[in-house]
Amino acid sequence: MKIAGNILKSTRDLLVSSAKIGVSTKDLDEIARNYILSQNATPSFLNYDGFPASICTSINEVIIHGIPNSKDILKSGDILSIDIGVCYKGYHADSAITVPIGKVSDELLKLLEVTEKSLLEGIKQAKPGNYIGDISKAVEDTIKPYGYGIIEEYGGHGIGKNLHEDPHISNFYYGLRGALLKPGMVICIEPMVALGKKEIFEKRNEWIVKTKDKKPCAHFEHMIAITKDGNEILT
Ligand code: MG
Ligand code: MG
């Protein structure tokens, strides 16, 4: 999983430096697939439940599961969430980042900063003796003062031989502490935070998930291993 995580890290770096004005999300998908395959790994998302691409590219009001498309050309002022999965020798890694394209408003830059901070605060709570709920609470407590919408329908998860495993990790505390964290567990923490309201819009049998009020949304994700003394970020 460490190796999968390392391949993912270099894929992400490559995509972040390629995500420029005028580039299509389809271009980014090809860059990702070619690089991942060159590392003797495979893109975890391709054909996952029928997903038709190697990465998810979600622009502005798209929260997650945006499908790369030659018609989606990045323009100045956009924010782009890139979600990447890598499988190496049967083990998965999963991570996401939201990047500003060209000149982005201060309001959006703040949203990105706070969402990433909430991920890091969640990670700080991921240690033996704590519970999943401690992670959820730290994420929520970081976001709340800003009045942003925390997406409730999607969240983090366990990971290993499967891309998504138990337990589910919500980005808000709903009153149950959940599973106890133990060394050896590997989990993904992934806050999705909207500039406006938390309500989502999705259609049955369609991948794309958007905010209902069409306000932009940020998404940051890391895969981490719980260790004896705390955790290690693998992506
Ligand atoms: Mg994930
Ligand atoms: Mg992901």
Side-chain angles (χ1 to χ4, degrees), residues 139-150:
V139 171
E140 180 181 22
D141 287 350
T142 309
I143 297 162
K144 261 211 162 145
Y146 296 89
Y148 299 140
I150 301 173

Side-chain angles (χ1 to χ4, degrees), residues 130-134 136 167-168 173-181 185:
N130 268 7
Y131 292 85
I132 292 293
D134 294 308
S136 304
H168 175 74
Y173 186 70
Y174 57 92
L176 292 174
R177 64 187 187 183
L180 178 66
L181 295 165
M185 285 179 169

Side-chain angles (χ1 to χ4, degrees), residues 45 83 94-95 190 221:
F45 299 170
D83 200 347
D94 184 9
S95 169
E190 49 179 316
E221 174 181 23

Side-chain angles (χ1 to χ4, degrees), residues 23-217:
V23 170
S24 80
T25 53
K26 178 95 182 156
D27 297 333
L28 296 177
D29 188 59
E30 273 163 27
I31 291 169
R33 185 172 52 252
N34 291 337
Y35 180 76
I36 293 168
L37 292 175
S38 79
Q39 301 303 301
N40 299 316
T42 52
S44 304
F45 299 170
L46 187 61
N47 300 323
Y48 180 87
D49 267 353
F51 190 77
S54 297
I55 55 171
C56 299
T57 48
S58 306
I59 302 174
N60 299 332
E61 75 273 16
V62 181
I63 305 165
I64 44 167
H65 302 165
I67 299 171
N69 189 305
S70 55
K71 288 179 201 140
D72 285 339
I73 314 270
L74 299 174
K75 57 183 196 307
S76 187
D78 283 343
I79 56 170
L80 169 71
S81 300
I82 308 169
D83 200 347
I84 310 159
V86 167
C87 184
Y88 182 78
K89 294 194 175 169
Y91 287 88
H92 293 275
D94 184 9
S95 169
I97 189 169
T98 303
V99 291
I101 307 298
K103 191 161 168 40
V104 165
S105 70
D106 289 345
E107 191 183 38
L108 281 180
L109 290 177
K110 190 75 196 173
L111 175 72
L112 303 193
E113 183 194 315
V114 171
T115 306
E116 185 171 25
K117 182 163 191 286
S118 75
L119 168 60
L120 299 176
E121 291 301 320
I123 290 173
K124 278 187 200 161
Q125 296 303 317
K127 53 188 178 190
N130 268 7
Y131 292 85
I132 292 293
D134 294 308
I135 299 172
S136 304
K137 192 169 185 312
V139 171
E140 180 181 22
D141 287 350
T142 309
I143 297 162
K144 261 211 162 145
Y146 296 89
Y148 299 140
I150 301 173
I151 306 303
E152 296 181 349
E153 286 82 350
Y154 294 90
H157 50 91
I159 183 169
K161 287 183 178 171
N162 300 295
L163 180 60
H164 296 117
E165 298 183 354
D166 284 341
H168 175 74
I169 305 171
S170 73
N171 292 309
F172 64 101
Y173 186 70
Y174 57 92
L176 292 174
R177 64 187 187 183
L180 178 66
L181 295 165
K182 295 176 191 168
M185 285 179 169
V186 184
I187 56 173
C188 292
I189 305 175
E190 49 179 316
M192 287 151 240
V193 181
L195 188 63
K197 299 204 166 71
K198 66 183 180 185
E199 280 73 27
I200 67 168
F201 174 78
E202 59 185 335
K203 280 192 194 157
R204 189 181 271 273
N205 300 327
E206 277 184 31
W207 279 101
I208 197 163
V209 183
K210 299 178 182 183
T211 55
K212 207 170 179 182
D213 63 9
K214 300 203 170 67
K215 295 253 178 85
C217 186

